[in-house]
Amino acid sequence: MNQALELGNLPEWNLDDLYPGQDSPELKSAISGLEADAKLFQESFEGKVSGLSGDDLGAAVAGFEAMQDVMGRIGSYAGLLYTTNIGDADIAQFYQGTQETLTDIGTHMLFFTLEINRIDDNELEAKLASPALDRYQPWVREVRMFRDHQLSDEAERLLHEKSVSGPSAWVRLFDETIARLRFTVDGAQLTEEECLHLLSGKDAQNRQKAASALTEVFDENAPLFALITNTLAKDKEVEDRWRGYASPAAPRHLGNQVEPEVVEALVEAVRNSYASLSHRYYALKAEWMGVSQLNFWDRNAPLPEDDDSVVPWNRAQDTVIEAYREFSPALASLGQRFFDGNWIDAPVKQGKQGGAFS
């Protein structure tokens, strides 16, 4: 079993490309600068967005974009650090504190998109004649897609400020619970990832043992998982009802810029193909594995003739890049930058307050 659990020397994230440490001067400076810029942004534009010229609105959007970039970088650093160290209490505290800080900073910026959505269509069309704003037309269009479901400024601010103690807190509880769970297989205490890894191995006994361990522990925690799921579902139902969405999937359709009918057609096509695709595949797999009916722990099992040799990282990297290059050299170039460690853009121009808004 130990051999089956051997995952090899996989690469690890080098988060120094974002910030050199959670207590680093660079991160602290970015946060303090961002907070100052957000307050200055609010003082400069709150209540005035509709009266801005196209050029001035374009400049405001550019400043908003720069702050969003810094927020994304800070949030990504905290999130990735937490994701790889969920069991570390100090890092969990840092992640929670960073979320709260970014939420507070975002409160100063919340007005901007709300006011953009209140601009008359004809007035906005005239402003878009400015090249400074026209370059942001796709973003403006996406923001305004949600304006019919926008609540009052006070309600939007309440939802924004409660987000850290609302749905995201329940998601974090789920993540940390899963990370703490241990699954006993042949006397070894395995994490969820290690146990799931066994389900993809060639050893049928290990697959069955792993499936039994997963089932037992998940059953024990079913009441908590049900509480989390039901709470999140109810929270979404309440907000969707207040915003006037026709269905739970409606906001996702807007975000994806796809008509509900298109999604329903896709779902229906998949359902109609169950018998000819998934059912047929599992029947064939059961036959290949010499059983009359496929066991649930064998769904991810490799086929008997599958090669289980380890693919070197460089070869896997080249395979991905070449696959992208087949249909998009630009995406291949972007992917190569990621693998080379050059995916982080140059630092955003610093403003007077030391942040990203100038």
Side-chain angles (χ1 to χ4, degrees), residues 113-322:
T113 54
L114 301 181
E115 292 192 25
I116 286 178
N117 281 343
R118 287 198 288 266
I119 299 176
D120 178 78
D121 286 340
N122 293 331
E123 292 181 9
L124 182 61
E125 192 65 30
K127 296 179 190 295
L128 285 168
S130 164
L133 182 60
D134 182 65
R135 68 189 300 265
Y136 292 108
Q137 187 170 161
W139 177 80
V140 172
R141 181 175 61 248
E142 183 175 347
V143 167
R144 287 171 69 84
M145 288 175 65
F146 293 88
R147 61 178 172 164
D148 291 340
H149 306 282
Q150 184 171 295
L151 303 178
S152 67
D153 289 6
E154 293 78 11
E156 292 289 356
R157 179 170 179 172
L158 175 63
L159 290 174
H160 175 78
E161 293 189 1
K162 284 178 61 64
S163 62
V164 176
S165 60
S168 63
W170 288 98
V171 172
R172 180 181 165 189
L173 172 61
F174 175 83
D175 290 340
E176 293 190 0
T177 300
I178 287 291
R180 285 194 297 268
L181 294 181
R182 291 298 179 266
F183 306 84
T184 304
V185 178
D186 285 342
Q189 297 294 300
L190 308 182
T191 64
E192 182 199 27
E193 290 82 1
E194 291 171 327
C195 210
L196 291 173
H197 178 66
L198 290 178
L199 292 178
S200 299
K202 281 197 168 185
D203 191 309
Q205 289 187 339
N206 279 345
R207 291 198 302 270
Q208 184 173 1
K209 292 175 183 177
S212 298
L214 286 166
T215 300
E216 179 180 356
V217 175
F218 285 155
D219 279 347
E220 292 172 355
N221 288 272
L224 175 59
F225 294 154
L227 173 62
I228 293 173
T229 301
N230 291 335
T231 301
L232 288 170
K234 183 59 179 177
D235 182 271
K236 176 171 171 54
E237 185 274 327
V238 171
E239 183 170 339
D240 284 354
R241 176 159 38 85
W242 274 69
R243 293 191 181 279
Y245 286 118
S247 71
R252 177 63 65 186
H253 296 333
L254 280 178
N256 290 335
Q257 300 183 38
V258 61
E259 294 81 2
E261 296 79 10
V262 173
V263 177
E264 287 301 320
L266 175 62
V267 171
E268 187 64 22
V270 172
R271 284 176 177 163
N272 291 338
S273 298
Y274 281 169
S276 61
L277 293 179
S278 58
H279 294 175
R280 178 167 165 258
Y281 168 75
Y282 284 127
L284 285 171
K285 190 168 186 179
E287 182 181 340
W288 292 331
M289 299 187 72
V291 295
S292 59
Q293 183 175 349
L294 194 69
N295 297 309
F296 76 89
W297 56 81
D298 290 331
R299 285 177 298 181
N300 294 329
L303 297 178
E305 67 274 14
D306 279 357
D307 181 9
D308 60 354
S309 59
V310 176
V311 177
W313 173 258
N314 289 338
R315 179 180 160 195
Q317 174 181 314
D318 292 342
T319 300
V320 171
I321 294 298
E322 289 306 315

Side-chain angles (χ1 to χ4, degrees), residues 87-103:
D88 190 307
D90 291 336
I91 290 178
Q93 183 178 9
F94 164 73
Y95 174 66
Q96 176 71 17
T98 302
Q99 278 193 312
E100 293 175 2
T101 297
L102 292 178
T103 299

